Amino acid sequence: MDFNVTKTDNSLIEAIDNRINNKTKPLGSLGTLETIAKKICLIQNTLTPELKNPQIIVFAGDHGIAREGVSPYPQEVTFQMVMNFLYGGAAINVFTKQNKIGLKVVDTGVNYDFSENDQLINRKVAYGTKSFKNGPAMSKDEFEKAISIGSEMVVEAYNKGCNIIGFGEMGIGNTSSSATIMHKFTQIDLKHCVGRGTGLDDSGLNKKYEILKECIDNYNGDNDPKTILAYFGGFELIAICGAILKAAELKMIIMMDGFNVTASLIGAHAINENVLDYVLFTHKSDENGHGKMLDFFNAKSILDLGMRLGEGTGAAVAYPVIESSVKFLNEMASFKEAGVSNKG
C-alpha cells in the first residue's frame, strides 16, 4: 500500500506561540502541556484544537519465534489474554473505560479459533507467523494483508469521527520481533534492543539475545523497509505499522505506546519519515530498548511511570494529560480577557 503522509503546516507557529504565551501564566510554566498543545494545533492546523471520539485499537497475533524459547510464557497466553480483553478484565479495559476511550480488539493472527464474539474483529492473516530464525516470518502477500488491516481499522475509526487514536498489541514473542526491527532500522547494538519481555531472568535474557543474534546473522534479504518488516515482524506489529501510516495520512493525533508499538513506528518511519509530525510519545516503557527508541527519535515522553505492560496502556493513561493540554489552550483566559497585567 502507498500512503500519502505530508508534513504538518507550520504557518501557524507564531500565532500558536502567541496564544499559549498570552494565557494568564508565566511563560513556559505549563511545561510539557504547552508542547503538546502546540503539536496538536499544528496537526489540526488550528488555534482551537479539539479531541474527538478517542480510540485505542489492540491488535493481537502469535509469533513463530516464540517456539524458539525467547519467552517464559507459552504461546497460548496470547489467546487467553485476548479473551481477557473481550471480557473486560485487562488493564487496557480498565484505563479506557476510566478515560472514556473507545476500545477495539482485532485478531490479526492468533493461533486459536475464537468463537463468534461481538467484541472481537476477526481479521486473521494466518495462525501466527513463522519463526524468523531461518527464514521470513511472513510472505509478501501476508505482509500486504496485515498492513492493510491496520489501515482499514483506522479509516473505520476516522469515519466515525475519531481524530485521536492509539494502538496496543498482544502477542507472546513480540518483543523479540520488536528488538530485531529496532536493531535493523536504527543500527543500535542488539544488546540495547533486547529486553526481558514478559519477565525473563538473566539466563533467559541471555538466551533470547543469542537466539536473536543468530536470527539477524542469518538474514540475507535486502535493506528495503518492507522486506525487513516482513522478515522479522508479527502480524499485529505490521498492522500497527499500517495503522500509523494511515492515521498520519488522515492527519490524526497518534498516541504512541511503548516498546512494541514504537517498533512499528520505526518501521512506519522508515517507509515515510513524515509520520513523526503526528505522534505524541505517551510514556517511556521500562522495557530495555524503549529509552533508546525515544533517543533515536529525539523524543521525550509525556509520562515515565515504570510501566512495561503493553496493550496500549501507556496511551490510555496519558490521554487525560493530552486532554488537559487542549483544555488549557481553549478555556484558560488570556491576560487581556482576565484584566491581568502582563509583564512589562
Side-chain angles (χ1 to χ4, degrees), residues 256-267 281 290 293-294 297:
M256 188 55 44
D257 194 51
F259 183 69
N260 290 312
V261 178
T262 308
S264 294
L265 172 65
I266 287 172
F281 291 90
H290 193 241
M293 287 175 163
L294 295 176
F297 288 124

Side-chain angles (χ1 to χ4, degrees), residues 183-315:
H183 169 73
K184 289 296 292 183
F185 286 112
T186 68
Q187 295 303 301
I188 293 170
D189 191 304
L190 184 63
K191 283 189 179 295
H192 297 306
C193 303
V194 178
R196 297 184 186 275
T198 47
L200 289 168
D201 59 18
D202 288 346
S203 175
L205 179 62
N206 186 62
K207 179 183 178 182
K208 180 179 178 180
Y209 168 78
E210 293 297 335
I211 291 168
L212 296 184
K213 185 177 184 302
E214 182 181 351
C215 294
I216 287 167
D217 289 343
N218 289 340
Y219 178 71
N220 58 4
D222 58 38
N223 290 321
D224 179 74
K226 293 180 180 180
T227 303
I228 294 170
L229 289 168
Y231 194 98
F232 294 106
F235 294 135
E236 85 283 26
L237 299 180
I238 303 307
I240 293 170
C241 182
I244 290 168
L245 286 160
K246 179 55 72 171
E249 181 182 284
L250 294 172
K251 301 187 182 301
M252 300 170 76
I253 304 159
I254 303 169
M255 299 183 288
M256 188 55 44
D257 194 51
F259 183 69
N260 290 312
V261 178
T262 308
S264 294
L265 172 65
I266 287 172
H269 176 260
I271 293 170
N272 190 317
E273 63 182 17
N274 292 336
V275 294
L276 280 187
D277 282 11
Y278 302 89
V279 171
L280 296 175
F281 291 90
T282 60
H283 79 117
K284 180 182 178 183
S285 172
D286 211 34
E287 175 72 5
N288 184 46
H290 193 241
K292 296 285 186 183
M293 287 175 163
L294 295 176
D295 291 343
F296 176 73
F297 288 124
N298 193 28
K300 182 180 178 182
S301 63
I302 296 171
L303 302 175
D304 184 356
L305 302 176
M307 295 170 62
R308 50 186 294 275
L309 177 58
E311 303 176 5
T313 49

Side-chain angles (χ1 to χ4, degrees), residues 37-194:
K38 182 173 180 177
K39 185 153 192 174
I40 292 174
C41 285
L42 290 173
I43 291 170
Q44 297 186 354
N45 196 30
T46 182
L47 298 178
T48 54
E50 294 180 273
L51 303 181
K52 297 179 181 178
N53 193 19
Q55 300 284 320
I56 289 178
I57 306 174
V58 179
F59 296 91
D62 273 308
H63 292 250
I65 195 65
R67 294 190 294 271
E68 308 292 347
V70 295
S71 173
Y73 282 87
Q75 194 176 70
E76 55 262 31
V77 170
T78 302
F79 88 78
Q80 291 167 353
M81 279 303 300
V82 170
M83 295 298 292
N84 195 25
F85 298 153
L86 300 180
Y87 291 106
I92 189 59
N93 300 100
V94 174
F95 299 143
T96 51
K97 183 178 180 181
Q98 173 193 357
N99 294 322
K100 297 179 176 57
I101 302 168
L103 176 65
K104 292 189 180 300
V105 182
V106 184
D107 173 13
T108 63
V110 180
N111 188 22
Y112 183 80
D113 284 312
F114 293 97
S115 57
E116 194 73 25
N117 189 310
D118 291 342
Q119 304 302 312
L120 181 67
I121 300 169
N122 182 0
R123 300 299 303 274
K124 198 187 299 286
V125 178
Y127 289 90
T129 57
K130 300 179 181 66
S131 170
F132 54 75
K133 191 172 182 181
N134 295 298
M138 66 190 75
S139 67
K140 182 179 178 181
D141 286 347
E142 288 173 331
F143 172 85
E144 293 293 343
K145 188 172 182 180
I147 208 166
S148 296
I149 290 167
S151 174
E152 290 162 12
M153 292 297 102
V154 167
V155 169
E156 184 177 303
Y158 177 82
N159 287 341
K160 292 180 179 178
C162 171
N163 71 358
I164 177 166
I165 197 162
F167 307 109
E169 39 59 45
M170 181 62 221
I172 294 299
N174 61 10
T175 60
S176 293
S177 278
S178 296
T180 53
I181 288 169
M182 174 185 175
H183 169 73
K184 289 296 292 183
F185 286 112
T186 68
Q187 295 303 301
I188 293 170
D189 191 304
L190 184 63
K191 283 189 179 295
H192 297 306
C193 303
V194 178

